[in-house]
Amino acid sequence: MFAEISGRAADLKARLEAFMDEHVYPNERELLAERRESAGRWSTHPLMEELKGKARAQGLWNLFYTHGPEGQGLTNYEYTHLCEILGRSLAAPEVFNCNAPDVGNMEILSLYGTPQQKDRWLKPLLDGEIRSCFAMTEPQVASSDATNIETAIRRDGDHYVVSGRKWWITGAMSTRCKLAIVMGKSDSSAPKHKQQSVILVPMDASGLKVERPLSVYGYEHPPLGHAELVFDNVRVPAENMLLGEGRGFEVAQGRLGPGRIHHCMRFIGLGERAIELMCRRALSRHAFGTTLAEMGGVRQAIGQSRCELEQARLVTLKAAWKMDRQGSKAARHEIAIAKVVVPSAVSQIIDRAIQVHGAGGLSGDFFLAEAFAETRFLRIGDGPDEVHREALARAELSRFS
Ligand SMILES: Cc1cc2nc3c(=O)[nH]c(=O)nc-3n(C[C@H](O)[C@H](O)[C@H](O)COP(=O)(O)OP(=O)(O)OC[C@H]3O[C@@H](n4cnc5c(N)ncnc54)[C@H](O)[C@@H]3O)c2cc1C
């Protein structure tokens, strides 16, 4: 399994590391501080646009993309190595046009979009000119079970009419978010997994209202944010249906395979950075006549963190490797394992790093507090861990029943 990455991927990785050192880490504090404090936080930071331009000029663009010349032609296994590097900074993914939820949305537009849909939405997304969101979750129903989704998608002549309420819609606060990819119910009399459809709704459509931003432990994650949205009889042309009526589950599955694993790849980078910060802090800080690094408890925390991060990296690499060979569907159990294992492991590593930093670790002065919030959310986002464990248990039990 542990093949070398190609020379081309290795070259991209080296250049990505150099770009991170030269442009991302030195500007990270400004990018992230602005994200939290500025009144115009939902619009893009000029510095972000400047860095995007530089990254694109250097060919460090759409690194995740496997569907055409707009990407770099990497396998998932190769991209895992690069994604870990850009995952070290919360500010980095957008610099390289590799940020959620746009990557998942570009994925499904590539797989299922018509030529017209691709021209209108995929092209500007690949160019980094617009942003998008994927709107499934609803406040009034348990949305981890997608069959519960209630938003109505009703055919009316040459149009569909969308009505409902969504929340936690990442990306929808951004002033540059132009597209909502909306899951809703088009036929409640159809078999359970054929009731849902996915439709493309322009963010400026009449009746679509961005009601409020939501925060994770107080972090609003601008400029993308997480929004509550209301669809009040929003009318869109019938050609905005993606793939076809009743095929919402197929679309959602296509989106979540690579999308889920990208989060895990990035989190390995966050974990590496947390271990690095933990070690540097422990070596430089003195208490009770010794450095923190000489204290047994701190050393145990560092050693345990290394064990857990290596395990997390291995399950992520295995999932990516299997996706490359057999596709996302065949790799669904490996993807589920990574989705459960990695956020928890990296959460714990970051938590230990916070502890070693004392009160400072809880503040905005270090990246640890925000990184912890990021990893904590993924134990619920993209489906709660329990749902993935349940799917794994079903598969295990079926081998013996
Ligand atoms: C930061 C953030 C960003 C998000 N971004 C998006 C987005 O862009 N688009 C979008 O549509 N949604 C998004 N979400 C929503 C996310 O996908 C949902 O919160 C998730 O699917 C769970 O749905 P729910 O919140 O309705 O929880 P519920 O379905 O109400 O579940 C609550 C709890 O019940 C338990 N549970 C559920 N099912 C099982 C089971 N089978 N076995 C055991 N226990 C179970 C779990 O503990 C679970 O956490 C985001 C969420 C967060 C926090």
Side-chain angles (χ1 to χ4, degrees), residues 53-89:
K54 284 187 174 144
R56 192 167 190 183
Q58 294 187 22
L60 298 170
W61 192 252
N62 292 335
L63 302 165
F64 71 96
Y65 193 67
T66 54
H67 301 281
E70 299 86 350
Q72 302 296 334
L74 300 175
T75 62
N76 285 298
Y77 182 78
E78 289 171 334
Y79 179 56
T80 305
H81 294 74
L82 276 74
C83 196
E84 174 180 331
I85 308 294
L86 64 88
R88 289 173 61 95
S89 169

Side-chain angles (χ1 to χ4, degrees), residues 61-62 64 93-99 103 106 125-126 128 131:
W61 192 252
N62 292 335
F64 71 96
E94 193 177 356
V95 173
F96 308 102
N97 212 36
C98 291
N99 59 290
V103 288
M106 288 186 252
L125 279 167
L126 285 166
R131 301 289 72 170

